[in-house]
Amino acid sequence: MKPKTYFLLCLMLAASAFAFAQEADDELIDEADDERFAAVDEAGYDIPEGLNENVDSLLALYNAQQYLAADADCNFPDVNPQYSAEEIQARLGKLPTVIEMPYNSVVREFIDRYAGRMRRSVSVMLGAGNFYMPIFEEALESYGLPLELKYLPIVESALNPKAVSRTGATGLWQFMLVTGKQYGLEVNSLVDERQDPIKASYAAAHYLSDLYAIFGDWNLAIAAYNCGPENVNKAIHRANGEKDYWLIYPYLPRETRGYLPAFIATNYIMNYYCEHNICPMRATLPAKTDTVVVSRDVHFEQIAHVLDIDIKAVEALNPQYRRSIINGGTKPSTLRLPATDIINFIDNEEAVYAYRASELLTKRAVTAVNTPAPTTVRRSSATKRRRGSSARTTTVRKGDTLGAIAKRNGTTVKRLKQLNPSIKGTTIVAGKKLRVK
């Protein structure tokens, strides 16, 4: 979730057409906007890491290779038309959203980035959205959240379920380890549910719901999703209690300054891509899938071989398993397969578990220990006496009686006589040592 630094000034100097358009934008921002967004123009920001995702890594994913293709019927010229600030602002205002989508120079810079250098990535993400948007919408709907939040994973991960940031944030929604576990996502050596599109989407919806409950403002909740509620509260404090994202903007972490503008720009480009001559990749939806619960450990290779399906399909449908092993032996775990293969798995379950089990599942239950031969250690007689003896003695004091000695040492007169056979009757001599134990 932490970004690579991108020097926007260099881009502006290198593209005179962009600079001209930017000057026109500045003229259209009225005085009230100037005051509100003055800090925005002055404060630098970083590009969210998801926007630096290489399109080749997206196209290397199984779903992209299997189900995405260029749309031969789309004949848009590969030219990005330039629009005025007024036109962009009007389009943002028409979006059917609950979350406000204001226009300013930073938002415009991200729109130009999407429509320009990221055109090919937008084309791929429009196609990949067919796989993931219904999942996102269902999760958001279950918590009663605005559906435009479905575009957050584009900013976070560019819709790459395998994305891992430099700081370890993982999956479509880029959960850090601690936050993921806090919201019920299991992470261990074999499983990382942050990479499960369904479970991670519900966890993200839950988290966003909690953040909105804290701040009561979607802009601040979105900022907190990126940098944490503590950093947003610090920014509010430094801005003398202001609770407007654009007024606390200079006090936010650099990436978070670019995060909300990137989110607004994402909503724009995913709705107005045609106006920028971007052809979405044509998507063929995968076959319907279903799940089955397994209660024994099973390797993807066992499933793929016995059911005669592509192991990459098994991996793509079960991205949460980090080592291609479903640890059903630890607890009942779900396996997702094309619906047509579920019955096949149930009918051949024992054959699946048996196939190359000793090679693919190497967790041994019992092992022999090759112990060294015992050795004899000689000890001196003094050592033997020192280690073997636990005797305790006392010295008879003047005027002592056997009863007094026994009481003092927690024993009985009878026991003292047993330990000291030299005692005759009740006669004892002062200065003599007696065993008391």
Side-chain angles (χ1 to χ4, degrees):
M1 292 167 77
K2 298 293 181 188
K4 298 176 182 176
T5 305
Y6 175 74
F7 294 99
L8 186 61
L9 182 58
C10 296
L11 179 61
M12 292 173 67
L13 292 173
S16 58
F18 175 80
F20 176 80
Q22 191 60 47
E23 289 173 8
D25 295 344
D26 292 339
E27 292 174 3
L28 287 167
I29 297 176
D30 60 27
E31 291 182 6
D33 286 338
D34 275 336
E35 183 179 347
R36 191 180 186 205
F37 300 131
V40 176
D41 294 329
E42 293 171 5
Y45 63 87
D46 288 343
I47 305 296
E49 197 163 337
L51 272 67
N52 289 312
E53 181 72 54
N54 189 326
V55 69
D56 291 336
S57 67
L58 300 178
L59 290 171
L61 297 173
Y62 177 83
N63 275 347
Q65 292 180 340
Q66 290 293 116
Y67 304 112
L68 289 184
D71 189 349
D73 296 329
C74 185
N75 297 313
F76 288 147
D78 191 19
V79 176
N80 178 29
Q82 291 298 311
Y83 295 101
S84 69
E86 189 175 33
E87 290 172 298
I88 301 292
Q89 186 176 355
R91 288 173 185 166
L92 285 169
K94 292 178 182 177
L95 291 175
T97 63
V98 171
I99 302 171
E100 68 169 5
M101 300 283 166
Y103 176 89
N104 60 46
S105 59
V106 183
V107 172
R108 178 59 184 260
E109 287 161 6
F110 278 102
I111 290 174
D112 287 335
R113 184 181 180 88
Y114 274 131
R117 62 181 295 180
M118 289 187 65
R119 295 172 63 79
R120 190 163 176 244
S121 293
V122 171
S123 176
V124 175
M125 290 186 291
L126 284 164
N130 288 282
F131 310 143
Y132 300 118
M133 292 303 164
I135 296 172
F136 301 159
E137 289 172 343
E138 234 176 65
L140 294 167
E141 191 72 37
S142 72
Y143 281 88
L145 304 186
L147 294 186
E148 53 267 29
L149 290 167
K150 66 186 177 183
Y151 295 127
L152 266 185
I154 291 177
V155 183
E156 289 286 347
S157 63
L159 296 186
N160 183 351
K162 291 289 187 180
V164 179
S165 77
R166 291 180 293 105
T167 57
T170 298
L172 288 162
W173 292 90
Q174 289 288 279
F175 270 105
M176 294 296 288
L177 182 63
V178 173
T179 311
K181 287 192 169 186
Q182 182 183 347
Y183 282 88
L185 299 177
E186 183 179 1
V187 182
N188 56 45
S189 295
L190 295 179
V191 177
D192 189 346
E193 290 184 340
R194 294 176 296 171
Q195 294 187 347
D196 184 323
I198 297 174
K199 289 185 178 180
S201 294
Y202 279 88
H206 188 176
Y207 186 29
L208 286 163
S209 177
D210 286 349
L211 291 172
Y212 183 73
I214 293 170
F215 295 104
D217 177 277
W218 276 115
N219 288 346
L220 297 181
I222 291 168
Y225 187 88
N226 177 254
C227 68
E230 300 85 359
N231 283 318
V232 173
N233 280 324
K234 285 178 188 175
I236 291 171
H237 179 74
R238 289 169 182 160
N240 299 317
E242 293 288 352
K243 294 186 178 180
D244 184 321
Y245 172 88
W246 302 104
L247 294 179
I248 69 170
Y249 180 97
Y251 308 105
L252 290 166
R254 286 182 61 90
E255 182 186 353
T256 309
R257 294 177 206 159
Y259 191 74
L260 182 64
F263 170 70
I264 295 170
T266 302
N267 272 269
Y268 173 88
I269 203 68
M270 297 302 280
N271 284 277
Y272 294 109
Y273 55 88
C274 286
E275 282 75 2
H276 292 270
N277 293 331
I278 297 175
C279 291
M281 293 197 78
R282 181 172 48 80
T284 305
L285 289 178
K288 186 179 178 183
T289 63
D290 202 351
T291 59
V292 63
V293 175
V294 297
S295 54
R296 290 158 65 177
D297 288 0
V298 60
H299 196 284
F300 287 175
E301 179 65 32
Q302 295 175 290
I303 299 165
H305 178 82
V306 175
L307 303 188
D308 192 26
I309 57 179
D310 189 343
I311 191 170
K312 290 185 178 179
V314 182
E315 292 170 352
L317 290 171
N318 301 275
Q320 68 271 35
Y321 297 113
R322 308 173 81 170
R323 302 288 186 270
S324 298
I325 295 173
I326 300 175
N327 56 326
T330 302
K331 67 175 186 179
S333 302
T334 58
L335 163 65
R336 183 171 292 277
L337 292 171
T340 53
D341 290 301
I342 289 291
I343 298 300
N344 195 14
F345 176 85
I346 294 171
D347 290 343
N348 295 279
E349 193 165 357
E350 290 305 317
V352 170
Y353 294 137
Y355 176 71
R356 293 176 57 199
S358 60
E359 300 172 50
L360 297 169
L361 303 171
T362 58
K363 188 187 290 185
R364 295 176 293 175
V366 177
T367 60
V369 179
N370 188 12
T371 57
T375 57
T376 302
V377 179
R378 293 179 179 273
R379 295 189 179 93
S380 68
S381 58
T383 301
K384 290 179 181 178
R385 286 197 301 273
R386 186 167 62 250
R387 293 189 178 182
S389 174
S390 60
R392 189 159 61 87
T393 62
T394 188
T395 301
V396 179
R397 304 171 188 170
K398 188 176 180 179
D400 261 348
T401 64
L402 287 177
I405 294 171
K407 185 176 181 180
R408 192 164 64 234
N409 290 280
T411 185
T412 64
V413 171
K414 182 178 179 181
R415 180 61 179 158
L416 285 175
K417 288 184 175 182
Q418 290 173 342
L419 293 172
N420 301 274
S422 62
I423 298 175
K424 303 300 181 182
T426 59
T427 303
I428 51 175
V429 181
K432 184 178 177 64
K433 288 187 179 295
L434 298 180
R435 282 189 63 188
V436 294
K437 183 180 178 183

